[in-house]
Amino acid sequence: MDMNARRDQWLLAIAGAADAAALAELDTRLFGSKGEVLDLVRTVTTLPKEERPVFGKAANAVKQEVEAALAARREQFAQRAMQKDLDTSDFDPTEPGPKRPRGALHPITIVQNELVDLFTSLGFQWQDGPEVESEYFNFDALNIPSDHPARESQDTFWLAEHAGLGKNLLRTHTSPVQVRTLQRALRAGFNPPLKVIVPGRCFRSETVDKSHEHTFYQMEGLVVDRVHGEHGISTANLIHTMKTCLRVILERDVQVRLRPGFFPFVEPGFELDVNCPFCKGQGCSVCKQSGWIEVLPCGMVHPNVLRQGGLDPEEYTGFAFGMGLQRVVMLRYGIDDIRQFMGGDLRFLAQFPEVSR
Ligand code: DAH
């Protein structure tokens, strides 16, 4: 039979295939190892040499045409099958898909972001420090020698000692970054005023309860400037900065009061209290009927700390503060159990606004 007649037969067979199964059978008949179409192409080898190019070209064209027809018919069956599925099922492709669960920012992150925004707008720079810290920066450089009773108030996770590396620990507060920052600033050619904040994670070997966590967040602040000259840092600057900060974070006008507080790295040192947001200063269970809540230890940088940072305390003064972030977050949202923060309970975490800025 002539090549074109055979092609027409094949195309007819394809068009006449009743369903996908019939088409698959036809596919084998035409293109399987002993398939008719492939046979046709192969006959080229039996021909005299001079006839081969013309025949080969024509045979290949037929092969391609039949292949394309098969593919088109296959697609037709697939479409039909899909349409049938759509017609007989409840599936509605125009309906929106199921809602995917979305993550949210952790409340500590939300408040930390706001604080960072606020302080950077006041000209502070963000500093980082290591969570694995040396005994020197965590204690000695902060005027807390090894026999100092203040060390005992910070139950420390000490790390195994390695020869030549000195004693290391998980930092018990963000204050070690004070001297790190001063030393780094000095190496870079000190250019006062220096204003930094240090948000970060701290660790203490505490028994966990409603108000204690072994892992917690602080935000350290440090401001240092020349004594003489325009800016000279005083307690008034400290109070003003702290008041601004609390007003923004607690989203209301605040009153503060200072009480003396003892921290070896500040002199004088203070405990800064804010009027209780829950009872507006009237006295309630949260503020233990006092009307005040302790939020912020702070003070004027101790001369020994400035010396460790390489500065002359006759020439420079500064203030520092160490805000407990959880504490502030608890005040802001009225949370009464610190364990919620690390508890991983999604019902707790999902309550906070997704994006805070
Ligand atoms: N680092 C102290 C602590 O965690 C808190 C502190 C107190 C930080 C006074 C300061 C400060 O910068 O001036 O107990």
Side-chain angles (χ1 to χ4, degrees), residues 154 172-175 178 204 216 218 220-221 263 265-266 270 297-300 319-323:
Q154 303 199 353
T172 57
H173 50 179
T174 42
S175 304
Q178 287 191 23
R204 284 185 205 179
F216 54 96
Q218 287 191 340
E220 194 78 11
F263 305 95
F265 35 95
V266 279
F270 307 107
C298 53
M300 303 306 291
F319 71 73
F321 59 88
M323 186 185 297

Side-chain angles (χ1 to χ4, degrees), residues 252-271:
R252 63 187 176 86
D253 230 10
V254 294
Q255 289 174 326
V256 298
R257 74 171 185 191
L258 290 186
R259 288 177 294 117
F262 174 69
F263 305 95
F265 35 95
V266 279
E267 179 55 42
F270 307 107
E271 290 287 1

Side-chain angles (χ1 to χ4, degrees), residues 158-341:
W158 290 96
L159 300 180
E161 278 188 57
H162 295 282
L165 286 180
K167 274 173 91 177
N168 289 314
L169 46 81
L170 297 184
R171 69 175 172 196
T172 57
H173 50 179
T174 42
S175 304
V177 189
Q178 287 191 23
V179 174
R180 281 186 177 275
T181 303
L182 290 175
Q183 292 184 355
R184 191 180 308 144
L186 208 65
R187 282 197 299 275
F190 191 50
N191 183 22
L194 174 120
K195 294 156 94 178
V196 293
I197 43 161
V198 186
R201 198 155 59 145
C202 310
F203 311 86
R204 284 185 205 179
S205 177
E206 302 259 14
T207 308
V208 174
D209 63 25
K210 225 167 152 5
S211 43
H212 295 90
E213 254 292 2
H214 48 68
T215 302
F216 54 96
Y217 289 78
Q218 287 191 340
M219 194 179 77
E220 194 78 11
L222 175 68
V223 173
V224 173
D225 201 359
R226 288 213 163 79
V227 175
H228 309 292
E230 253 181 90
H231 307 294
I233 301 299
S234 73
T235 318
N237 300 121
L238 167 64
I239 297 172
H240 176 75
T241 311
M242 295 301 90
K243 245 186 124 161
T244 308
C245 158
L246 291 170
R247 193 171 56 230
V248 171
I249 286 309
L250 300 180
E251 297 171 316
R252 63 187 176 86
D253 230 10
V254 294
Q255 289 174 326
V256 298
R257 74 171 185 191
L258 290 186
R259 288 177 294 117
F262 174 69
F263 305 95
F265 35 95
V266 279
E267 179 55 42
F270 307 107
E271 290 287 1
L272 189 140
D273 299 341
V274 65
N275 57 330
C276 177
F278 300 106
C279 62
K280 311 275 178 295
Q282 300 304 303
C284 66
S285 63
V286 180
C287 60
K288 302 200 184 78
Q289 309 306 330
S290 73
W292 295 95
I293 295 186
E294 185 180 310
V295 279
L296 249 173
C298 53
M300 303 306 291
V301 181
H302 195 285
N304 285 348
V305 175
L306 291 170
R307 278 190 201 103
Q308 290 296 330
L311 298 179
D312 178 357
E314 297 292 321
E315 222 183 300
Y316 293 95
T317 47
F319 71 73
F321 59 88
M323 186 185 297
L325 283 183
Q326 268 104 329
R327 178 119 218 191
V328 179
V329 178
M330 288 166 88
L331 279 181
R332 154 98 162 248
Y333 293 115
I335 298 164
D336 64 358
D337 190 331
I338 199 171
R339 289 169 293 197
Q340 298 275 21
F341 293 119

